[in-house]
Amino acid sequence: MSLEAVRYRRGRLLILNQLLLPGQAEYEEVGGVRAAWQLIRDMKVRGAPAIAIVGCLSLAVELHQREESVKEDLATFVRESLDYLVTSRPTAVNMARAAQDLSDFVVSEVQRPDSTAESLKEKLISRIEGLLEKDIRTNKIIGSHGAEHILSRAKTDKVIILTHCNTGSLATAGYGTALGVIRSLWSMGRLEHVYCTETRPYNQGARLTTYELMHDKIPATLIADSMVAMALKEKRISAVVVGADHIVANGDTANKIGTYQIAIAALHHGVPFYVAAPSTSCDLALESGEQIVIEERPVGELTDFNGVHVAAPGIGVWNPAFDITPHDLITAGIITEFGVHDPRELRKVLIDKIS
Ligand code: MRU
């Protein structure tokens, strides 16, 4: 079993094709930006942080092969590539945030009188390569903040966690966000059990989260999405922890479709509800969740199952890939690398930490 979504060394990028999991662990070479765009769109790699990392690394692979002599030409190529990558999965904000950071960096480098096309290329590649390690480091910090917070409020020695979608090593550079919190609890010996949803229609929970939980030998049970309310009522769940694709200034959060109804059910049953995500999933440019663009996916993801039609031909289909959980349903807090925050205070925390 492999838990590495991404394998990289300078000039070469491989991704684990997540469409084949859990049956086959097969790596696919990514030759450059166009190939990365397509495999992200096809969901061979998914999860907001992993999308950004693969997108940026595909640019590093292409940069490694290029031999521009004029720095402005290289800068144009980088900006156009980043703009293109951002269109692959519009709700996941991490790619857009990384693109902004790299574009700003390019502008400042090009302005330096001593910079050359070669030095720009070298610095960009190094900056992109740094993203892999930074993401894993951040996730481990998120994991320990989340675990400590959950335990400080728990009424039992060991806790039971419910999670949705896949937020683990396969959705990030490694370790994971919500699944990182679960991994931290497990390593502390304070996790009794995990309930993970199958996460229709794409089954990231059934195919990928179960794969990661079984890899780490974490005691876990798979449930259908429609069983969440019943599980919250019957299974002594201590907390719900989910990831995020886009968190905006007021704390509203876009995450995998189904998250919103889990938050409603958690509130009804008095179960603390957490969102775990790196600050690179936060976006202070948008004020509220209503402004987030929600990706709609192809109808076949709902009408077909493993290539077999399961719905009557001609039926109408609506397939939004994400929903918005309003900040007041995130009752226990948003976990970032900076700590656990009341969603209404997230803006202030981010401004304080970033400035
Ligand atoms: O459509 P996906 O599989 O890319 O959606 C993934 C999610 O919604 C995750 O919860 C989110 O990206 C956080 S992953 C650390």
Side-chain angles (χ1 to χ4, degrees), residues 43 46-49 89 165 167 171-172 177 204 244-245 255-256 322:
M43 310 261 284
R46 26 63 51 203
R89 301 276 315 271
C165 195
T167 60
T172 62
T177 56
Q204 289 94 331
D245 284 80
N255 190 47
K256 178 52 51 197
F322 303 95

Side-chain angles (χ1 to χ4, degrees), residues 258-295:
T259 303
Y260 176 37
Q261 66 194 18
I262 298 175
I264 294 171
L267 181 68
H268 181 77
H269 292 284
V271 176
F273 185 94
Y274 291 89
V275 168
S279 61
T280 47
S281 301
C282 304
D283 169 20
L284 296 184
L286 299 189
E287 185 51 41
S288 89
E290 281 161 28
Q291 296 165 281
I292 299 174
V293 175
I294 299 290
E295 174 189 359

Side-chain angles (χ1 to χ4, degrees), residues 9-333:
R9 67 175 158 73
R10 191 161 287 198
R12 187 147 198 240
L13 172 64
L14 300 173
I15 58 100
L16 182 59
N17 180 351
Q18 297 187 24
L19 295 179
L20 304 178
L21 291 174
Q24 275 166 269
E26 209 172 279
Y27 283 85
E28 190 171 306
E29 178 138 18
V30 188
V33 166
R34 304 228 152 233
W37 187 95
Q38 195 58 54
L39 60 87
I40 291 169
R41 176 60 71 99
D42 293 345
M43 310 261 284
K44 287 180 179 170
V45 168
R46 26 63 51 203
I51 290 168
I53 285 161
V54 168
C56 293
L57 286 174
S58 74
L59 176 60
V61 167
E62 262 194 58
L63 280 170
H64 184 69
Q65 294 153 2
R66 284 184 91 91
E67 288 180 357
E68 249 100 0
S69 51
V70 180
K71 62 183 174 184
E72 286 78 7
D73 291 349
L74 191 66
T76 304
F77 163 73
V78 170
R79 269 195 304 272
E80 285 174 0
S81 299
L82 290 168
D83 288 349
Y84 180 62
L85 284 164
V86 167
T87 63
S88 58
R89 301 276 315 271
T91 308
V93 78
N94 303 52
M95 184 62 235
R97 293 274 324 263
Q100 188 61 55
D101 172 73
L102 291 172
S103 298
D104 293 348
F105 181 71
V106 167
V107 169
S108 71
E109 279 299 310
V110 168
Q111 280 167 357
R112 285 168 58 121
D114 60 338
S115 72
T116 62
E118 197 50 39
S119 70
L120 176 60
K121 172 173 144 174
E122 181 59 36
K123 284 187 182 175
L124 266 171
I125 293 177
S126 302
R127 197 172 179 90
I128 292 171
E129 288 173 346
L131 294 174
L132 268 170
E133 209 190 303
K134 181 166 178 269
D135 190 56
I136 298 178
R137 214 172 36 241
T138 302
N139 291 341
K140 291 194 169 157
I141 299 170
I142 290 172
S144 73
H145 284 316
E148 276 165 30
H149 200 272
I150 291 169
L151 292 173
S152 72
R153 296 173 52 145
K155 298 182 186 82
T156 50
D157 180 49
K158 291 194 175 188
V159 293
I160 303 176
I161 304 295
L162 185 141
T163 193
H164 185 53
C165 195
N166 173 264
T167 60
S169 295
L170 298 171
T172 62
Y175 201 70
T177 56
L179 208 50
V181 174
I182 289 169
R183 286 199 160 99
S184 289
L185 287 164
W186 180 239
S187 69
M188 293 161 87
R190 303 289 299 274
L191 180 71
E192 181 179 327
H193 205 83
V194 176
Y195 287 89
C196 65
T197 60
E198 64 176 345
T199 319
R200 283 284 294 144
Y202 227 74
N203 291 315
Q204 289 94 331
R207 292 187 301 106
L208 309 176
T209 302
T210 62
Y211 183 79
E212 294 205 34
L213 291 166
M214 292 303 93
H215 178 274
D216 286 12
K217 301 189 171 45
I218 295 176
T221 298
L222 174 66
I223 58 171
D225 300 356
S226 48
M227 298 168 192
V228 165
M230 179 81 157
L232 288 166
K233 182 164 173 257
E234 307 254 323
K235 296 293 183 187
R236 298 182 293 112
I237 288 163
S238 319
V240 175
V241 190
V242 300
D245 284 80
H246 201 149
I247 305 176
V248 296
N250 73 349
D252 291 354
T253 296
N255 190 47
K256 178 52 51 197
I257 191 74
T259 303
Y260 176 37
Q261 66 194 18
I262 298 175
I264 294 171
L267 181 68
H268 181 77
H269 292 284
V271 176
F273 185 94
Y274 291 89
V275 168
S279 61
T280 47
S281 301
C282 304
D283 169 20
L284 296 184
L286 299 189
E287 185 51 41
S288 89
E290 281 161 28
Q291 296 165 281
I292 299 174
V293 175
I294 299 290
E295 174 189 359
E296 294 206 12
R297 303 272 318 162
V299 298
E301 291 179 5
L302 267 175
T303 54
D304 298 16
F305 191 77
N306 273 350
V308 178
H309 280 304
V310 288
I315 188 70
V317 171
W318 181 45
N319 187 17
F322 303 95
D323 56 26
I324 309 291
T325 302
H327 60 269
D328 53 357
L329 291 178
I330 305 169
T331 52

